[in-house]
Amino acid sequence: MNLGILGTGKIVQEFLPEMENLNIPYKAILGTLRSKERVEKLAAQYKLQKIYFDYDELLKDENLDTIYIALPNNLHYEFAKKALLANKNVIIEKPAVTTFEEFQDLKQLAADKKKILLEAVTLHYLPAYKNIRADLQKLGDIKIVSMNYSQYSSRYDAFKRGEILPAFDPKKAGGALMDINVYNINFAVGLFGAPKTFSYSANIENGIDTSGVMVLDYGKFKVVCIGAKDCEALTVSTIQGDKGNIIMEIPPNRIDAYIINYNNGEGSVEAFDEDKHRMIYEFENFIEIIDNKNFELAEEMLKISGTVAQILQGGREQVGIKIG
């Protein structure tokens, strides 16, 4: 996989130091002229072969077969569609798109072009998460799942002063559901599939959800997803069955351990500390999928992304957030 990286934000700066641990022979980066100095510094520091300030020029680079889109949420669809039309594989940071219609369009285009389309949600590829899937049967019948990912945003103070940054801008697909609760929802959908129904209740300020509660109804059990950017709490999530429970004390996108407790008083700690950055796991999988043209696995992951896209759009519509 030869990678074109779009953006120079926080997630890209977190990813670049890890690239030397991945088999990515050729790397290029796209920035803006406004961020020219930062782009040049990053390219030199991490030995990127090419710098671009024009997206059309980057897409003409025949060395690149895959585009990694790490731009503001509202730009994902436009840049992904252009990459697919240029016959590139596409990896999009979460949330992949702002509407389910955009998702369907990209999915169909990828199929028509015979290209791989993937959403970068780290938790799906973490060893601890994969092991939870195997351990679910030990809990008996699942009854209640409760997830709380609440993290006071450094941008919330500015938001209260009237400064609307992308994280709280409805026009840029910001808000607690899209930015933080998306992880809880991915966690649930990855384990249990699509819910029968869902409902979102949120605290709305200036047209955006600063915190909220998404309830996923699976019929025989319920999942409560709490995501907040306007307040903080201990990150604790539980999966409760009639034979025992699983407790996680770390955000879902970084899970590396959990506790199993059984009704008879027994239990165990399951830890998966391999001293490897969480993005390595997902990109190792992305490389394998793309290099081997594993469309079947890509389709399996897209099914999760599509369900999550429907929930995100439906949830925002339920609380009156203007989309698009």
Side-chain angles (χ1 to χ4, degrees), residues 53-242:
F53 297 100
D54 183 298
Y55 190 35
D56 290 331
E57 289 301 312
L58 179 142
L59 291 177
K60 292 176 185 176
D61 189 335
E62 295 182 358
N63 292 308
L64 297 174
D65 56 64
T66 303
I67 305 301
Y68 171 43
I69 301 172
L71 300 170
N73 296 345
N74 62 306
L75 300 178
H76 289 183
Y77 170 71
E78 173 191 350
F79 279 76
K81 186 167 187 176
K82 208 165 187 179
L84 288 169
L85 288 170
N87 292 304
K88 309 291 187 185
N89 303 301
V90 173
I91 299 166
I92 316 176
E93 265 300 328
K94 67 80 197 171
V97 288
T98 59
T99 68
F100 183 60
E101 182 181 3
E102 290 178 349
F103 172 81
Q104 289 178 303
D105 188 39
L106 292 182
K107 182 182 176 183
Q108 185 60 55
L109 182 56
D112 293 344
K113 291 287 186 177
K114 294 181 171 55
K115 294 298 173 183
I116 299 288
L117 174 66
L118 294 163
E119 182 180 17
V121 186
T122 52
L123 66 91
H124 294 299
Y125 306 96
L126 297 176
Y129 181 74
K130 292 181 177 181
N131 213 65
I132 283 177
R133 183 180 290 111
D135 278 343
L136 283 178
Q137 61 183 345
K138 299 176 182 178
L139 305 182
D141 292 334
I142 303 302
K143 297 297 182 181
I144 294 290
V145 179
S146 174
M147 307 195 69
N148 188 342
Y149 192 178
S150 298
Q151 194 173 71
Y152 190 88
S153 173
S154 58
R155 299 173 179 87
Y156 184 58
D157 290 333
F159 176 74
K160 288 191 292 184
R161 294 194 300 268
E163 300 173 32
I164 309 300
L165 299 170
F168 289 103
D169 190 343
K171 294 179 181 177
K172 295 184 177 179
L177 185 62
M178 297 289 280
D179 187 58
I180 202 164
N181 217 348
V182 62
Y183 290 116
N184 295 328
I185 296 166
N186 264 280
F187 190 99
V189 172
L191 291 180
F192 307 117
K196 293 181 181 296
T197 61
F198 59 87
S199 61
Y200 188 48
S201 300
N203 294 314
I204 304 292
E205 297 180 45
N206 296 326
I208 197 69
D209 56 326
T210 57
S211 57
V213 180
M214 173 69 75
V215 177
L216 309 177
D217 191 335
Y218 284 87
K220 292 184 178 180
F221 66 95
K222 319 301 176 191
V223 178
V224 178
C225 300
I226 300 170
K229 296 167 67 66
D230 57 7
C231 56
E232 190 137 349
L234 291 175
T235 300
V236 178
S237 299
T238 58
I239 304 174
Q240 300 166 222
D242 60 5

Side-chain angles (χ1 to χ4, degrees), residues 11 14-15 68 93 122 277-283:
I11 194 67
E14 190 172 352
F15 172 62
Y68 171 43
E93 265 300 328
T122 52
H277 191 280
R278 65 188 184 281
M279 293 184 76
I280 293 294
Y281 293 106
E282 65 174 349
F283 270 87

